[in-house]
C-alpha cells in the first residue's frame, strides 16, 4: 500500500491533523508550528490530495486504511486525532472503528450526519482547469471565477496549483473526487467514548443546535464549543480562538 505524504513537526505525543475536501497539509502549517512546541505534529495529505498518491478508490474506509498503514509505518500506537470537515468525518470514522488507537479527538466544523452535495460548481471549475492547462495563476483565477465567485474560496482552491513543464496543474485528483464526491458527504460513524471536542464556526451551518443530541449520542464524552467570528474554516478565520480551545482541551 502507498504511504500518505506528511509534514512532521516537533517531538512528543503524536497529533495527526487531517485536512478537508480539496485541502492539503499547508492549510494547517501555521497551527502545526504552534502545536509542535508540545506534540509531534503530523500534517497529513489524504489520498487524492496534496502530495499523496492518486487512486480510483476513494471512501472513508479506504482513507481509514491509509491512516492505519501510516500509523504502522511511523510506529504510532496511540494518537490524538484532529480533523476538519471531510477530515473531521474521517477522524470520527477512524475513532469509532479503531478506538484503541485514538486517545483524544478534535472535530472542526462537521457533524456525524449526511450532508447535501454542494461542491458541484467548484468541481466543474476545477475540471475546467484540469482538462485545459492554465497558462498562469492569473488565468486560472479568472477561469475559476466563472464557477466560484467567492475570492477567498478561490484562493483556497488555487493553493492546489503547481508549475509543470507544460504550465500549471492541480495536485488534487479532480476526476476521481468529482466522481466520488457523494462519498464525502455521507456519515459512517458508530460510537467513540473517548474525550472529544467539537469546534463549530459561529457563522457556519455545518454544526447546528439540532445536531447536538446526535453528537452526544455517538460521542458521549464530547463537548461542543463555538468559535466566534468564524465560518466553516474556524482555524483560518479565527486562529487565536481556535488555538485557545484546542490548547484548553489538550491541557497545554
Amino acid at each position: 500500500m502507498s504511504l500518505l505524504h506528511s509534514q512532521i513537526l516537533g517531538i512528543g505525543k503524536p497529533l495527526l491533523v487531517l485536512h478537508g475536501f480539496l485541502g492539503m497539509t499547508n492549510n494547517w502549517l501555521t497551527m502545526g508550528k504552534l502545536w509542535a512546541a508540545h506534540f509531534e505534529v503530523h500534517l497529513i495529505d489524504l489520498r487524492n490530495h496534496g502530495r499523496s498518491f492518486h487512486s480510483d478508490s476513494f471512501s472513508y474506509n479506504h482513507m481509514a486504511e491509509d491512516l492505519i498503514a501510516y500509523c504502522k509505518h511511523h510506529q504510532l500506537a496511540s494518537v490524538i486525532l484532529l480533523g476538519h470537515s471531510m477530515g473531521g468525518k474521517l477522524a470520527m470514522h477512524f475513532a469509532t472503528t479503531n478506538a484503541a488507537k485514538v486517545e483524544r479527538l478534535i472535530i472542526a466544523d462537521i457533524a456525524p450526519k449526511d450532508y447535501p452535495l454542494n461542491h458541484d460548481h467548484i468541481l466543474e471549475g476545477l475540471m475546467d482547469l484540469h482538462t485545459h492547462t492554465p497558462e498562469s495563476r492569473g488565468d486560472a483565477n479568472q477561469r475559476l471565477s466563472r464557477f466560484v465567485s467567492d475570492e477567498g474560496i478561490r484562493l483556497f482552491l488555487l493553493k492546489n496549483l503547481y508549475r509543470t513543464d507544460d504550465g500549471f496543474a492541480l495536485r488534487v485528483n479532480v476526476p476521481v473526487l468529482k466522481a466520488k464526491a457523494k462519498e464525502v458527504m455521507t456519515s459512517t460513524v458508530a460510537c467513540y467514548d473517548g474525550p472529544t471536542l467539537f469546534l463549530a464556526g459561529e457563522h457556519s451551518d455545518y454544526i447546528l443546535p439540532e445536531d447536538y443530541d446526535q453528537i452526544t449520542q455517538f460521542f458521549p464524552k464530547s463537548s461542543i464549543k463555538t468559535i466566534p467570528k468564524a465560518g466553516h474554516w474556524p482555524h483560518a478565520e479565527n486562529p487565536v480562538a481556535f488555538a485557545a480551545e484546542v490548547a484548553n482541551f489538550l491541557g497545554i
Side-chain angles (χ1 to χ4, degrees):
M1 175 181 286
S2 299
L3 189 69
L4 296 173
H5 171 266
S6 67
Q7 295 184 58
I8 302 175
L9 311 169
I11 57 174
K13 185 177 293 294
L15 168 62
L16 276 55
V17 181
L18 311 176
H19 61 75
F21 191 57
L22 304 174
M24 63 177 70
T25 59
N26 286 353
N27 303 151
W28 286 90
L29 192 55
T30 300
M31 284 289 170
K33 289 178 178 178
L34 179 68
W35 295 325
H38 307 277
F39 300 97
E40 181 181 88
V41 181
H42 294 247
L43 305 177
I44 297 175
D45 280 331
L46 301 175
R47 67 167 57 199
N48 293 319
H49 289 77
R51 296 178 182 270
S52 281
F53 60 90
H54 286 189
S55 170
D56 290 340
S57 300
F58 188 72
S59 70
Y60 289 118
N61 284 333
H62 288 107
M63 289 188 280
E65 290 172 2
D66 295 340
L67 283 183
I68 291 171
Y70 182 89
C71 289
K72 183 177 181 180
H73 176 83
H74 290 283
Q75 299 181 313
L76 308 177
S78 177
V79 303
I80 300 166
L81 205 52
L82 184 155
H84 169 243
S85 197
M86 179 191 76
K89 281 196 167 241
L90 172 57
M92 287 187 275
H93 176 79
F94 187 84
T96 59
T97 53
N98 299 274
K101 295 183 181 295
V102 181
E103 183 177 316
R104 284 176 172 262
L105 188 61
I106 304 169
I107 306 299
D109 209 55
I110 202 76
K113 65 177 185 180
D114 292 348
Y115 285 84
L117 189 62
N118 58 2
H119 295 100
D120 285 352
H121 62 297
I122 290 174
L123 291 165
E124 288 295 337
L126 292 178
M127 275 299 295
D128 177 66
L129 300 183
H130 173 76
T131 53
H132 303 92
T133 304
E135 297 178 0
S136 65
R137 292 186 179 275
D139 175 44
N141 185 36
Q142 182 180 15
R143 285 165 53 189
L144 191 58
S145 69
R146 301 200 304 264
F147 302 88
V148 182
S149 60
D150 187 292
E151 183 180 14
I153 295 176
R154 284 203 312 277
L155 292 175
F156 164 76
L157 296 169
L158 291 173
K159 288 181 179 180
N160 284 289
L161 207 63
Y162 71 101
R163 189 182 295 275
T164 70
D165 293 339
D166 301 319
F168 288 86
L170 294 166
R171 295 202 182 278
V172 285
N173 187 352
V174 184
V176 168
L177 295 182
K178 186 174 185 295
K180 303 283 189 178
K182 289 183 180 179
E183 297 275 355
V184 175
M185 312 311 291
T186 59
S187 181
T188 58
V189 171
C191 184
Y192 171 72
D193 63 0
T196 304
L197 174 65
F198 282 81
L199 296 171
E202 179 185 15
H203 303 304
S204 172
D205 60 0
Y206 276 73
I207 298 180
L208 300 171
E210 52 262 40
D211 300 323
Y212 292 0
D213 286 346
Q214 191 167 15
I215 287 173
T216 54
Q217 175 188 345
F218 288 128
F219 301 91
K221 295 180 182 176
S222 64
S223 57
I224 306 168
K225 302 291 185 180
T226 298
I227 304 300
K229 301 177 182 178
H232 186 50
W233 289 273
H235 54 290
E237 294 164 321
N238 193 342
V240 173
F242 187 91
E245 291 289 0
V246 171
N248 182 59
F249 178 69
L250 296 179
I252 59 176

